Amino acid sequence: MPGEQKNSFLLLYGSQTGQAKAIAEEIAEKAETQHNLKANVYCLSQTEKKFNIEKEKCVVIVTSTTGDGEPPDTAAKFFRRLNKKTLQEDYLSNINYTLLGLGDSNYTNFCKCGKAVDKRLEELGAKRFYPSGFADDAVGLEVVVEPWMDGLFPVLQRFLGLTPHDSESSLANMDNKCLNGHVKSNSTSDDLKNTDSVITNDSINISDAVNTNEINSSQLKQEISKNGLAFPSAATAVTMATVISAKQLTREDAVKRTLCLCLDIKNSDIKYLPGDAVSVVCTNSEDEVNNLFKRLDISHVADQVCKFDILPDTKKRNPSVPSHIPHKFTLKHVFKTCVDIRDAPKKALIRSLVEFTTNQSEKRRLQELCSKQGADHYSKFIRESRISLLDLLLTFPSCNPPVERILEHLPRLQPRPYSVCRSELEGFEESGILSKYCVSFSRDEQQDDLPRYVQDNLLLHSSEVMTLLESDAMVYVCGDAKNMAKDVNEAFLQIIQKEREYTEEEAKRYVMKMRLYKKYMEDVWT
């Protein structure tokens, strides 16, 4: 059974896009290599097959939240089992646990899954041996994840009853790696050949005089569309569509860019309803891939077929080639369709670049960016500036990492979800399901006398809106909490005051009553 060794603990993860899994794997690796601890790692989907949580003593859980606060698909079974009403209050009284929840405060139900699991474990008698943490992707997961992880290991050691002698080697290891808050690397080029990376120089085989013609077209199409791995939350098969237009809706200084896409799906069998989401798989720019290859000095092998294998004598626990990378394909294909080269490089990637940087000034700067003390600089100069991998490598010319190390750290190229809109609703109007359909285009060029914002349209149709409210209508508001939701709420207050001749306080009580009886619903983000 997991958890029987004195220095072992159960480490569970629920992951939708791979973030929680990657963090769990990092915890497991650091536990073993730096702290003389052994993590038994399982996906939450393996409940009752590989583990039974009620039989464990020490459990660490890392889980994300997806959709409208739902658990990730891999955690759904575990979540249902945990919420059975027949479970006694002391069902998990033997368990000591901690939890790390991942979420995004741009959405209303921030870390709802993690918080719900945390609460339910406590309700069933489980005891928290270390404070649970909740990381926000809107400001950078690492802001919470890194200090939470650093504090976890010494608490785990004390809880498991390890003596100072048991953890002596890990403390010495930490001393050798850290100096004034910066990562200190004493590795030589010969040392690097023996590192425990998933893919190393010795693990990749580039066949001579072999090109993409060796791979048939049907295989290529399958790899481009799915890479042999299902997309997160995919409800249908992958199909091809033409992007007719793409218009940016957000300002240039927005943290996250929003696009309006127009897709030609006439020759596809896609069926959809307003409110559905279409996930678009966009390949990386060929020019950017070529420029990255030039910077990494691998252009001459870009179209040759590579075989990705595990180094036979690796010491890494449960090593595997990242599941989103095909076992045998060209580097160009992998970098164009499998990995994300546009996303801001994670600290783990920057940390790995340090040992391949020869200029001492550049090395110190990279060390600073991936240190806890450099968190503000990382956020400002990497995350908020939308620095890509290529940008980073061009900024540090003395950094020359092998492509294998880069691939080890690059995340999977994710589909980008878009909400189905307008046509979210024009068909309903034509069929009579909707009696009236009013639109506001706040970012479009239009006449000054036309309603630009939602609240403008509401006020323009004040009498009709009040009639609907008095007919027990439901109000659904979706948008940002800071501006749109607040302004729409204010518009309803003005309408009620005008049409019912209410005071401001009376109008507020009217809206409050609607909220209380769930007649005024919001799905907003900050």
Side-chain angles (χ1 to χ4, degrees):
M1 287 296 299
E4 290 182 352
Q5 292 179 299
K6 180 181 178 182
N7 69 336
S8 69
F9 62 97
L10 182 65
L11 177 55
L12 305 174
Y13 65 87
S15 191
Q16 189 72 19
T17 63
Q19 291 265 39
K21 180 182 179 183
I23 291 172
E25 290 174 344
E26 184 177 355
I27 291 173
E29 185 171 0
K30 285 186 175 180
E32 181 167 346
T33 60
Q34 300 180 19
H35 300 280
N36 193 30
L37 296 167
K38 176 177 173 55
N40 298 299
V41 189
Y42 298 106
C43 177
L44 285 169
S45 63
Q46 296 173 295
T47 181
E48 296 182 312
K49 296 179 181 177
K50 295 292 185 179
F51 70 91
N52 288 285
I53 191 171
E54 64 273 15
K55 297 180 180 179
E56 296 297 328
K57 173 187 175 185
C58 183
V59 182
V60 177
I61 300 175
V62 182
T63 184
S64 60
T65 295
T66 188
D68 189 25
E70 288 88 25
D73 296 340
T74 57
K77 177 183 176 183
F78 175 84
F79 201 74
R80 288 194 303 270
R81 185 169 178 266
L82 202 63
N83 282 320
K84 285 183 178 178
K85 294 182 180 179
T86 56
L87 297 180
Q88 300 296 318
E89 291 184 356
D90 61 348
Y91 179 68
L92 299 180
S93 58
N94 292 327
I95 293 178
N96 298 274
Y97 80 98
T98 187
L99 179 143
L100 176 63
L102 311 181
D104 189 330
S105 62
N106 283 310
Y107 299 92
T108 305
N109 295 307
F110 170 65
C111 276
K112 183 178 179 180
C113 175
K115 291 177 180 178
V117 172
D118 191 44
K119 180 181 178 182
R120 185 57 175 158
L121 289 172
E122 197 170 33
E123 290 174 347
L124 294 175
K127 297 173 284 295
R128 218 179 278 108
F129 72 86
Y130 179 65
S132 295
F134 301 97
D136 185 2
D137 197 34
V139 297
L141 294 175
E142 68 282 346
V143 174
V144 169
V145 171
E146 292 186 356
W148 185 89
M149 196 184 300
D150 288 342
L152 171 66
F153 297 116
V155 177
L156 267 173
Q157 288 176 324
R158 290 196 297 271
F159 178 78
L160 294 173
L162 298 184
T163 65
H165 175 75
D166 293 329
S167 57
E168 183 178 349
S169 59
S170 65
L171 294 176
N173 192 11
M174 291 177 68
D175 289 339
N176 287 333
K177 288 193 173 182
C178 298
L179 179 64
N180 296 326
H182 300 303
V183 177
K184 175 185 176 185
S185 174
N186 295 319
S187 301
T188 65
S189 57
D190 289 333
D191 294 331
L192 298 177
K193 294 179 181 177
N194 298 317
T195 57
D196 294 334
S197 56
V198 174
I199 304 172
T200 71
N201 272 333
D202 295 331
S203 338
I204 187 169
N205 175 37
I206 302 178
S207 306
D208 292 334
V210 178
N211 56 40
T212 52
N213 292 330
E214 186 181 277
I215 303 168
N216 62 55
S217 59
S218 62
Q219 183 184 3
L220 182 62
K221 183 177 180 180
Q222 180 187 15
E223 291 297 330
I224 288 176
S225 63
K226 293 187 290 186
N227 294 321
L229 188 67
F231 286 121
S233 302
T236 64
V238 177
T239 189
M240 304 298 289
T242 302
V243 178
I244 299 174
S245 65
K247 180 180 180 182
Q248 183 169 330
L249 300 179
T250 46
R251 299 194 306 266
E252 288 298 329
D253 60 349
V255 175
K256 293 187 176 181
R257 188 170 60 158
T258 300
L259 299 177
C260 177
L261 290 188
C262 185
L263 303 177
D264 180 1
I265 58 172
K266 290 194 298 290
N267 297 323
S268 72
D269 58 355
I270 295 179
K271 293 179 176 61
Y272 64 89
L273 291 172
D276 288 348
V278 174
S279 291
V280 180
V281 185
C282 305
T283 60
N284 292 314
S285 161
E286 183 154 1
D287 287 342
E288 186 164 5
V289 171
N290 290 336
N291 288 332
L292 182 59
F293 282 4
K294 182 178 179 181
R295 173 62 182 83
L296 293 171
D297 194 25
I298 57 173
S299 300
H300 59 292
V301 294
D303 293 316
Q304 291 183 317
V305 176
C306 302
K307 184 180 179 182
F308 299 91
D309 289 315
I310 301 299
L311 191 67
D313 58 350
T314 181
K315 297 178 181 178
K316 188 168 184 175
R317 293 183 63 227
N318 302 317
S320 64
V321 175
S323 56
H324 55 274
I325 296 180
H327 180 63
K328 187 177 181 182
F329 238 95
T330 66
L331 283 175
K332 178 168 284 188
H333 167 75
V334 170
F335 275 86
K336 274 196 67 176
T337 70
C338 302
V339 295
D340 190 344
I341 62 174
R342 287 295 313 158
D343 196 26
K346 299 293 189 291
K347 284 191 175 183
L349 172 55
I350 296 176
R351 192 173 292 118
S352 73
L353 297 180
V354 172
E355 55 195 10
F356 301 103
T357 305
T358 56
N359 181 280
Q360 291 304 309
S361 177
E362 292 179 13
K363 178 177 288 191
R364 284 194 297 271
R365 182 55 174 154
L366 287 172
Q367 290 171 333
E368 182 180 20
L369 287 171
C370 62
S371 69
K372 286 188 291 186
Q373 287 78 1
D376 289 342
H377 280 203
Y378 173 83
S379 179
K380 179 179 180 181
F381 297 114
I382 303 295
R383 186 179 176 86
E384 294 176 12
S385 300
R386 297 177 180 170
I387 294 297
S388 68
L389 171 62
L390 179 59
D391 295 328
L392 190 69
L393 291 174
L394 292 175
T395 303
F396 297 90
S398 77
C399 179
N400 294 291
V403 66
E404 301 86 347
R405 181 57 61 88
I406 294 292
L407 282 173
E408 182 181 353
H409 288 280
L410 288 180
R412 183 186 182 187
L413 184 62
Q414 297 287 348
R416 305 172 189 179
Y418 291 82
S419 298
V420 176
C421 62
R422 294 199 67 189
S423 57
E424 179 134 320
L425 295 174
E426 289 172 343
F428 284 170
E429 186 180 30
E430 292 171 1
S431 64
I433 295 176
L434 277 179
S435 58
K436 192 159 190 173
Y437 176 45
C438 304
V439 294
S440 303
F441 300 103
S442 60
R443 297 183 177 96
D444 285 6
E445 293 295 331
Q446 57 187 4
Q447 299 177 25
D448 293 337
D449 59 342
L450 292 177
R452 179 173 292 274
Y453 298 102
V454 173
Q455 60 268 24
D456 298 334
N457 240 324
L458 287 170
L459 294 170
L460 185 64
H461 300 89
S462 176
S463 177
E464 295 168 88
V465 170
M466 193 67 235
T467 299
L468 288 170
L469 294 182
E470 291 176 332
S471 301
D472 208 27
M474 296 282 294
V475 175
Y476 294 95
V477 181
C478 181
D480 74 285
K482 183 179 179 182
N483 297 306
M484 185 269 188
K486 177 173 66 68
D487 293 339
V488 167
N489 183 80
E490 182 61 32
F492 275 105
L493 293 177
Q494 292 180 36
I495 290 170
I496 295 167
Q497 290 177 73
K498 175 187 174 184
E499 302 298 333
R500 293 288 293 265
E501 297 183 351
Y502 275 7
T503 65
E504 183 179 357
E505 285 303 315
E506 288 173 329
K508 286 182 178 179
R509 285 198 292 271
Y510 189 102
V511 173
M512 184 60 69
K513 186 177 179 180
M514 290 181 64
R515 291 179 182 273
L516 183 63
Y517 287 97
K518 299 189 183 301
K519 296 294 183 180
Y520 192 109
M521 305 290 288
E522 292 179 309
D523 180 11
V524 298
W525 56 90
T526 56

